[in-house]
Amino acid sequence: MNLFKISFFYLLLFIFISSSSLAQTIIEVNNASLPQEDVQKLLPEKYLITQKILWGRDGLMRKMKKFELSKESRNYEQDIREKMFKAHRYIGYATLAGMVAQGIVGERLYRGHSDLKELHEGLAGAVNIGYFSSAGLALFAPPRINYGSKGFSTFKLHKYLAVVHLSSMIATNVLSGMIENNPKLKPYHRGAAYIGYGSFFASMIVIHF
């Protein structure tokens, strides 16, 4: 149970910091109020609030001389963004593998193999850490210079699916802490886990098209 409590605390901490932006992945911050035209061109019109906290015109990173808002710094930020999203992708692959393993062990646990409980909780902790680390890399990466097309795109579908798998991850973790005292919640826990895995898998597939 200790590992579960640690992973659950990690989950709650991450949600406290960034859920306001993830819950509104589609509703993005409009930064069109910048007074200087040349500065406006350096930042996209819309980007996540988590990105604005660090990389906005008055973001925390702007306090550092190296990241003062300029064409040079924005180009440098794109290199950082690329590396963060590469790590986001690779950690996502590892997390997906962990979800598969957790699902296999979870099914055996549901069928009465109680000796697998600690293994299942350990995998749950690893999946939580991987999932929210991967999400954090995407949420706090520097915004792109050109936000992209206004119409539908696989990138936007990837974000919409992120809302689904985030909600499912939260539900899965909350329900797992309630099952011991209320076994009737097991089907809901399993359903939330399957939805989380399915939407997470789909979000990783669509981004390649």
Side-chain angles (χ1 to χ4, degrees), residues 144 146-156:
R144 63 173 66 182
N146 181 4
Y147 189 74
S149 62
K150 294 183 179 180
F152 180 81
S153 66
T154 55
F155 177 74
K156 289 183 179 179

Side-chain angles (χ1 to χ4, degrees), residues 1-207:
M1 284 297 294
N2 288 336
L3 184 55
F4 169 75
K5 290 178 180 179
I6 292 172
S7 62
F8 192 64
F9 173 77
Y10 186 93
L11 167 68
L12 292 178
L13 179 63
F14 187 89
I15 293 170
F16 176 78
I17 295 173
S18 62
S19 61
S20 60
S21 60
L22 265 175
Q24 301 179 41
T25 325
I26 305 172
I27 306 172
E28 294 159 319
V29 177
N30 191 326
N31 197 39
S33 60
L34 296 177
Q36 301 177 15
E37 185 178 354
D38 56 339
V39 172
Q40 284 181 325
K41 294 177 181 178
L42 295 174
L43 291 168
E45 290 185 356
K46 300 177 181 179
Y47 53 107
L48 296 175
I49 192 172
T50 44
Q51 295 174 314
K52 186 178 182 182
I53 290 171
L54 293 181
W55 306 100
R57 182 190 171 199
D58 299 312
L60 297 176
M61 297 301 291
R62 302 300 173 206
K63 310 301 180 185
M64 301 171 61
K65 187 173 181 62
K66 189 171 186 178
F67 294 108
E68 290 179 354
L69 200 54
S70 66
K71 185 176 180 180
E72 291 72 21
S73 68
R74 287 293 286 136
N75 288 332
Y76 179 63
E77 287 167 27
Q78 298 312 293
D79 293 334
I80 296 175
R81 176 186 171 86
E82 183 180 352
K83 291 176 182 177
M84 290 181 71
F85 270 90
K86 184 176 291 186
H88 162 76
R89 184 168 64 251
Y90 291 148
I91 294 174
Y93 292 148
T95 301
L96 186 65
M99 285 181 173
V100 173
Q102 185 186 6
I104 294 172
V105 173
E107 283 298 324
R108 292 180 60 82
L109 186 61
Y110 275 125
R111 294 175 186 175
H113 296 269
S114 57
D115 56 312
L116 296 175
K117 184 178 180 181
E118 289 189 5
L119 175 59
H120 185 260
E121 290 179 355
L123 287 169
V127 166
N128 277 331
I129 291 172
Y131 178 87
F132 289 102
S133 296
S134 178
L137 287 165
L139 283 169
F140 294 99
R144 63 173 66 182
I145 292 177
N146 181 4
Y147 189 74
S149 62
K150 294 183 179 180
F152 180 81
S153 66
T154 55
F155 177 74
K156 289 183 179 179
L157 178 58
H158 177 79
K159 291 169 60 181
Y160 302 158
L161 287 168
V163 176
V164 178
H165 59 68
L166 171 72
S167 303
S168 301
M169 283 290 291
I170 294 172
T172 301
N173 279 277
V174 170
L175 291 169
S176 66
M178 300 169 64
I179 285 177
E180 191 170 344
N181 297 324
N182 192 352
K184 291 183 180 180
L185 294 174
K186 285 184 177 180
Y188 301 101
H189 171 260
R190 180 164 49 184
Y194 280 138
I195 292 172
Y197 167 76
S199 54
F200 187 65
F201 176 76
S203 71
M204 298 189 70
I205 293 296
V206 299
I207 201 65

